[in-house]
């Protein structure tokens, strides 16, 4: 054990340089350190905030009594001086590639460069390589071949086994193979990281003359003392305990290359074991060895997750970025995350693979402490941009009978229907909202995370749950909308929605009617903004045309839309690449070519004059004169009707937005 964690700086005084974790030798010297225990390399700018994974893991290691440094966005060109400047750590190097998958962060669904890198100063694109986990590890292994390297973060987590890479259009091995790292931590990393630090310090370095861990000794150590929620590469003879009867042996990487159906079949086991309270170990053979996926830790307790959010964060970017804008930080600067996990199980979302489906909620006291810290920030003007999580309204929800949850294999608690064992009580969250709004200095707290309206509209047998859901709906619409409430129906076709694990579009109609009624009664003119996806597996061009017609009939001009992006380790990606649904192994159609994808996306923009002729040609080719009439009337050549946006009736002028509304426009959390 080393130093104790520093105390939080007094709110009225400016933070000192030593209030951040060290990033340079000079900052180590200010603390009187000659060597670090762990050196963490991050592909994001260093923002000392609980929404940035590198900061969370760094603070966790610090709180465990170890000396930790962060090297943000090291230069991977030339002489690798950024990788050498802090020397060799006592315990290990850690790689935290970023709060967002590096390739999703960099490229659109059309594989075009995004307008900016949200996690880099001034949005610069040249601050991180593609696949930083692999690039950073290979450099470290070249410079320090005998130092253990431990991978973490979402990039490694989603690549812990054979996976499809959309950007290279091929299957890739477990990322340990390509990187050469010694261990991979998957999921939220606090518990396994703490155990790894103490394991090396207590078992490997205890009573030894040399002060530094060795990679070969480290690998032997973790074979003897396997760490939950980690992945290692092992020869068959070195698998801890051998291949046991209760292990799930997946199809090998080589079999996946040869047979797409076998690749698809693997994913059902991967997803199920990521979301069970009593999971089994997974093994996959690759290059003559086995990727051994140890079972995850149980969901974090309230005390454990409170501790993670209560670390002494400055909540600010490192002083090295003074005068520079970090887009992602600007979005979450005044937001508060109240829980982790999501039991929605959306087929295109990576949350279940990384955070799991079990909700891990913070205590009310911890949430209020964070809000009070935000109120004390000098540039806070009274508006919280988000009081949410991966989904806005799942706080404190869990199974009523946990013994049933222990046997459950369902990846979603609400698809295809809400589980009767789910205690979806919205009262604890309502209590949080009202307590936050009562804090002096809070003018309004917005909900920017995605709202699951199927939880609000479900006909619960318990009258108290129905009343709580109704009260939450009213509270949300009247007091927590910044002029526009964004929800994610994703599609209008029930067939596509079933593949997405999303509720019927009929529920969106119901929710919109309630939204309109409450606004009308209160004299408000707020807008409902729906999100939609094109080219999702199972979606045809005709289904997209019907989506355009149905949303046009509802007076929506769609603006929050996206083309499906295959990301590693989701049901949708496995179906898109393999052509088979992982759970049924039945064929699934997917639009794959750029031309097919563009024809689907085209229907979002039926109201644009420049797209009108193309859409009309497509509808004639599909032999759908009915949709042609619904979109363009009986005279398709006539000028289109007046523009309208959101849920505003045609011809009605928009009301001027409140000064703060645009600044605190809700984001789309949980969508990766």
């Amino acid at each position: 054990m080393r130093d104790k964690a520093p105390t939080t700086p007094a709110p009225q005084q400016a933070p000192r340089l030593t209030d951040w974790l060290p990033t340079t030798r000079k900052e180590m010297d200010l603390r009187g350190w000659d060597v670090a225990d762990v050196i963490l390399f991050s592909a994001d700018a260093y923002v000392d905030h609980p929404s940035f994974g590198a900061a969370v893991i760094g603070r966790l290691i610090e709180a465990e009594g170890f000396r930790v440094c962060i090297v943000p966005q090291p230069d991977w060109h030339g002489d690798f001086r950024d990788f050498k400047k802090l020397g060799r750590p006592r315990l290990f190097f850690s790689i935290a590639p970023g709060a967002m998958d590096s390739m999703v962060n960099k490229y659109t669904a059309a594989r075009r460069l995004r307008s900016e890198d949200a996690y880099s100063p001034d949005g610069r694109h040249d601050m991180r390589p593609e696949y930083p986990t692999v690039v950073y590890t290979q450099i470290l292994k070249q410079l320090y071949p005998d130092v253990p390297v431990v991978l973490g973060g979402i990039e490694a987590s989603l690549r812990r086994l054979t996976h499809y890479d959309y950007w290279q259009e091929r299957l890739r091995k477990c990322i340990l193979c390509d990187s050469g790292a010694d261990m991979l931590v998957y999921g939220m990393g606090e518990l396994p990281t703490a155990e790894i630090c103490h394991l090396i310090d207590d078992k490997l370095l205890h009573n030894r003359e040399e002060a530094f861990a060795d990679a070969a000794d480290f690998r032997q150590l973790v074979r003897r003392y396997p760490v939950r929620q980690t992945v290692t590469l092992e020869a068959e003879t070195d698998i801890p305990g051998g291949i046991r009867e209760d292990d799930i042996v997946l199809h090998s990487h080589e079999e996946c290359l040869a047979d797409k159906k076998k690749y698809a079949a693997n994913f059902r086991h991967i997803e199920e074991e990521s979301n069970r309270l009593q999971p089994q170990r997974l093994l996959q053979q690759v290059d003559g060895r086995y990727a051994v996926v140890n079972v995850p830790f149980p969901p974090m307790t309230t005390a454990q997750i409170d501790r993670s959010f209560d670390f002494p964060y400055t909540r600010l970017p490192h002083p090295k970025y003074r005068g520079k804008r970090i887009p992602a930080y600007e979005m979450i600067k005044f937001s508060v995350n109240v829980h982790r996990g999501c039991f929605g199980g959306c087929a295109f979302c990576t949350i279940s693979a990384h955070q799991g489906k079990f909700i891990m909620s913070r205590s009310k006291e911890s949430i209020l402490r964070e809000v009070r810290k935000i109120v004390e920030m000098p540039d806070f003007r009274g508006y919280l941009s988000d009081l949410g999580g991966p989904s806005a309204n799942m706080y404190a929800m869990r199974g009523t009978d946990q013994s049933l949850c222990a046997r459950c294999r369902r990846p979603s608690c609400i698809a295809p229907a809400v589980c009767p064992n789910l205690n979806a009580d919205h009262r604890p969250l309502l209590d949080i909202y009202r307590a936050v709004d009562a804090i002096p200095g809070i003018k309004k707290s917005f909900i920017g995370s995605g709202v699951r309206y199927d939880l609000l509209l479900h006909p619960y047998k318990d009258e108290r749950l129905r009343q709580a859901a109704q009260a939450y709906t009213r509270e949300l619409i009247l007091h927590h909308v910044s002029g526009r409430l964004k929800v994610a129906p994703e599609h209008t076709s029930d067939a596509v929605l079933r593949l997405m694990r999303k509720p019927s579009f009929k529920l969106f109609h119901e929710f919109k009617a309630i939204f309109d009624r409450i606004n009308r009664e209160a004299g408000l003119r707020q807008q409902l903004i729906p999100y939609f996806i094109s080219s999702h597996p199972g979606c045809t061009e005709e289904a997209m045309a019907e989506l355009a017609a149905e949303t046009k009939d509802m007076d929506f001009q769609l603006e929050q839309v996206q083309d499906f992006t295959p990301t590693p380790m989701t049901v949708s990606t496995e179906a898109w690449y393999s052509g088979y649904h992982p759970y049924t192994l039945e064929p699934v159609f997917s639009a794959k070519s750029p031309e097919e994808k563009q024809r689907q996306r085209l229907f979002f923009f039926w109201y644009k004059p420049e797209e009108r002729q193309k859409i009309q040609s497509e509808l004639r080719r599909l032999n759908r004169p009915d949709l042609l009439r619904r979109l363009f009337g009986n005279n398709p050549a006539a000028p289109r009707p007046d523009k309208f946006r959101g849920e505003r009736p045609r011809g009605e002028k928009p009301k001027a937005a409140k000064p703060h509304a645009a600044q605190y426009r809700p984001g789309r959390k949980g969508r990766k």
Side-chain angles (χ1 to χ4, degrees):
M1 300 289 286
R2 304 295 289 250
D3 303 327
K4 292 184 179 179
T7 57
T8 308
Q12 55 267 50
Q13 61 182 189
R16 302 156 297 177
L17 185 59
T18 51
D19 290 324
W20 282 266
L21 298 174
T23 66
T24 64
R25 173 59 66 178
K26 175 185 175 181
E27 291 169 44
M28 289 178 66
D29 292 341
L30 287 174
R31 293 188 176 219
W33 296 359
D34 56 345
V35 67
D37 294 315
V38 178
I39 300 175
L40 191 158
F41 287 84
S42 171
D44 287 346
Y46 173 30
V47 179
D48 193 35
H49 187 284
S51 292
F52 288 73
V56 174
I57 295 302
R59 291 296 185 181
L60 175 278
I61 295 172
E62 175 189 54
E64 291 296 316
F66 297 97
R67 296 177 176 181
V68 57
C69 297
I70 293 180
V71 181
Q73 300 189 310
D75 186 352
W76 66 100
H77 306 92
D79 60 3
F80 306 145
R81 66 184 62 186
D82 286 343
F83 293 87
K84 297 184 286 188
K85 65 183 180 181
L86 302 184
R88 171 181 175 146
R90 278 185 68 246
L91 304 184
F92 58 90
F93 288 116
S94 178
I95 309 294
M100 188 174 180
D101 184 271
S102 67
M103 300 304 283
V104 176
N105 183 53
K106 188 166 186 174
Y107 295 106
T108 68
R111 300 186 179 94
R112 296 192 183 97
L113 195 67
R114 293 192 185 277
S115 58
E116 64 181 9
D117 182 331
Y119 292 87
S120 293
D122 291 333
R124 287 175 54 179
H125 280 294
D126 59 345
M127 300 297 289
R128 77 175 79 226
E130 295 182 358
Y131 310 103
T133 299
V134 174
V135 174
Y136 293 173
T137 305
Q138 289 179 347
I139 292 172
L140 289 171
K141 281 299 183 180
Q142 177 184 333
L143 298 173
Y144 305 96
D146 59 337
V147 178
V149 177
V150 178
L151 309 182
I154 195 165
E155 181 171 86
S157 185
L158 301 184
R159 292 166 171 80
R160 58 187 182 257
L161 291 162
T162 296
H163 58 279
Y164 173 65
D165 188 285
Y166 173 66
W167 298 274
Q168 294 188 351
E169 297 188 88
R170 66 184 179 95
L171 291 188
R172 296 188 64 164
K173 305 170 187 175
C174 166
I175 199 168
L176 287 173
C177 298
D178 291 333
S179 66
D182 300 282
M183 175 181 274
L184 184 158
V185 171
Y186 66 91
M188 307 304 282
E190 292 100 321
L191 300 182
T193 300
E195 185 166 318
I196 292 166
C197 289
H198 288 292
L199 186 65
I200 297 176
D201 201 46
D202 297 342
K203 301 290 186 183
L204 191 58
L205 299 182
H206 185 62
N207 291 330
R208 278 179 42 165
E209 293 183 5
E210 56 265 42
F212 296 93
D214 177 85
D217 293 338
F218 170 72
R219 289 192 292 270
Q220 289 289 345
L221 180 70
V222 295
R223 289 182 191 121
R224 185 176 179 186
Y225 301 100
V227 179
R228 280 176 172 252
Q229 210 166 305
T230 63
V231 184
T232 57
L233 284 176
E234 309 290 355
E236 185 171 352
T237 54
D238 291 331
I239 297 173
I243 299 178
R244 304 187 296 248
E245 287 188 5
D246 62 343
D247 286 336
I248 296 176
V249 181
L250 303 172
H251 296 294
S252 70
H253 176 73
E254 291 73 20
E255 288 178 300
C256 291
L257 290 174
D259 189 336
K260 289 184 176 181
K261 185 175 284 190
K262 288 182 178 179
Y263 169 71
N266 274 355
F267 185 75
R268 177 172 185 170
H269 298 296
I270 296 169
E271 184 178 48
E272 286 181 345
E273 300 312 310
S274 297
N275 291 285
R276 291 184 63 195
L277 288 177
Q278 297 177 359
Q280 295 168 254
R281 188 171 67 173
L282 298 175
L283 304 176
Q284 185 185 35
Q285 195 170 21
V286 52
D287 292 344
R289 294 183 291 174
Y290 282 86
V292 180
V293 183
N294 293 310
V295 299
F297 278 89
M300 294 175 75
T301 64
T302 295
Q304 288 172 329
I305 199 166
D306 278 358
R307 179 179 184 241
S308 186
F309 280 90
D310 290 344
F311 291 143
Y313 305 102
T314 63
R315 299 187 66 87
L316 297 168
H318 189 275
K320 68 183 290 185
Y321 306 114
R322 188 172 288 114
K324 296 178 181 175
R325 179 183 66 95
I326 300 173
Y329 172 67
E330 296 301 320
M331 289 179 63
I332 55 83
K333 186 176 183 179
F334 302 128
S335 70
V336 177
N337 196 330
V338 301
H339 76 271
R340 288 183 187 166
C342 177
F343 51 68
C346 296
F348 48 79
C349 183
T350 61
I351 289 176
S352 67
H354 191 65
Q355 292 191 20
K357 72 175 182 179
F358 295 101
I359 304 302
M360 295 160 280
S361 300
R362 300 171 64 184
S363 68
K364 177 180 176 181
E365 294 72 24
S366 175
I367 295 168
L368 297 183
R369 277 196 298 272
E370 184 174 0
V371 173
R372 292 189 183 101
K373 288 180 182 178
I374 293 175
V375 169
E376 292 169 350
M377 294 176 71
D379 53 347
F380 181 65
R381 298 293 179 264
Y383 299 98
L384 286 180
S385 58
D386 188 23
L387 191 59
S391 284
N393 55 321
M394 291 186 182
Y395 177 81
M397 295 183 184
R398 65 200 300 264
T400 303
D401 184 346
Q402 284 291 291
S403 67
L404 295 178
C405 294
R407 299 194 297 271
C408 180
R409 290 179 178 269
R410 283 179 56 174
S412 171
C413 300
I414 52 179
V418 175
C419 175
N421 188 46
L422 178 65
N423 179 14
D425 191 348
H426 284 78
R427 286 175 294 183
L429 189 53
L430 278 169
D431 182 47
I432 295 291
Y433 288 178
R434 290 162 182 167
V436 166
D437 288 348
I439 292 176
I442 294 294
K443 296 178 182 177
K444 194 164 185 177
S445 58
F446 298 120
I447 309 305
S449 305
V451 176
R452 290 300 303 233
Y453 53 79
D454 42 349
L455 284 174
L456 301 177
L457 301 176
H458 184 69
Y460 300 103
K461 293 181 180 179
D462 188 331
E463 179 62 26
R464 293 170 299 178
L465 296 186
R466 282 204 300 273
Q467 290 180 358
Q470 292 169 3
Y472 177 89
T473 303
R474 188 169 185 82
E475 171 82 12
L476 170 73
I477 295 171
L478 292 180
H479 303 296
H480 301 282
V481 176
S482 63
R484 314 171 97 205
L485 178 62
K486 298 182 180 181
V487 294
E490 309 295 7
H491 215 283
T492 58
S493 163
D494 282 351
V496 177
L497 289 167
R498 279 192 294 272
L499 288 169
M500 290 180 166
R501 294 182 183 151
K502 296 286 286 187
S504 170
F505 195 65
K506 293 175 183 177
L507 286 185
F508 178 75
H509 280 277
E510 291 182 33
F511 183 73
K512 183 180 182 302
I514 294 170
F515 181 88
D516 291 344
R517 174 178 57 78
I518 292 175
N519 274 280
R520 188 167 55 251
E521 292 171 353
L524 298 173
R525 296 177 63 191
Q526 300 178 134
Q527 295 177 330
L528 191 64
I529 307 297
Y531 283 94
F532 290 96
I533 295 178
S534 60
S535 302
H536 187 275
C539 180
T540 62
E541 192 177 341
E542 197 163 352
M544 286 302 301
E546 290 170 347
L547 180 154
E550 182 153 4
T551 54
K552 188 253 186 182
D553 289 345
M554 297 177 72
D555 280 349
F556 282 110
Q557 176 177 299
L558 302 183
E559 53 183 52
Q560 299 293 340
V561 299
Q562 68 181 60
D563 197 31
F564 170 66
T565 304
T567 54
M569 208 168 286
T570 68
V571 175
S572 301
T573 295
E574 314 315 328
W576 191 89
Y577 163 73
S578 70
Y580 300 98
H581 193 284
Y583 281 74
T584 65
L585 298 183
E586 294 178 353
V588 177
F589 166 79
S590 293
K592 291 189 175 182
S593 72
E595 294 75 22
E596 287 178 315
K597 291 167 73 71
Q598 178 56 31
R599 283 201 298 268
Q600 289 206 15
R601 183 175 172 80
L602 184 68
F603 284 101
F604 285 139
F605 308 111
W606 60 269
Y607 53 86
K608 293 186 176 182
E610 63 269 25
E611 307 294 356
R612 186 184 185 97
Q613 187 173 352
K614 296 178 189 175
I615 293 173
Q616 291 174 354
S617 296
E618 288 301 312
L619 290 174
R620 292 188 183 101
R621 186 179 65 82
L622 294 171
N623 194 26
R624 292 299 303 267
D626 57 321
L627 296 179
L628 192 63
R629 287 191 297 273
R630 285 174 68 186
L631 285 174
F632 303 108
N634 291 323
N635 182 10
R640 65 189 179 96
D642 292 339
K643 287 185 179 180
F644 54 93
R645 186 175 298 276
E647 47 83 39
R648 190 176 71 249
R650 276 177 266 180
E652 184 177 296
K653 293 183 179 180
K655 187 177 180 180
K658 295 180 181 179
H660 62 264
Q663 182 178 359
Y664 298 104
R665 185 173 297 171
R668 193 179 192 189
K669 290 193 176 181
R671 295 287 303 277
K672 307 213 174 38

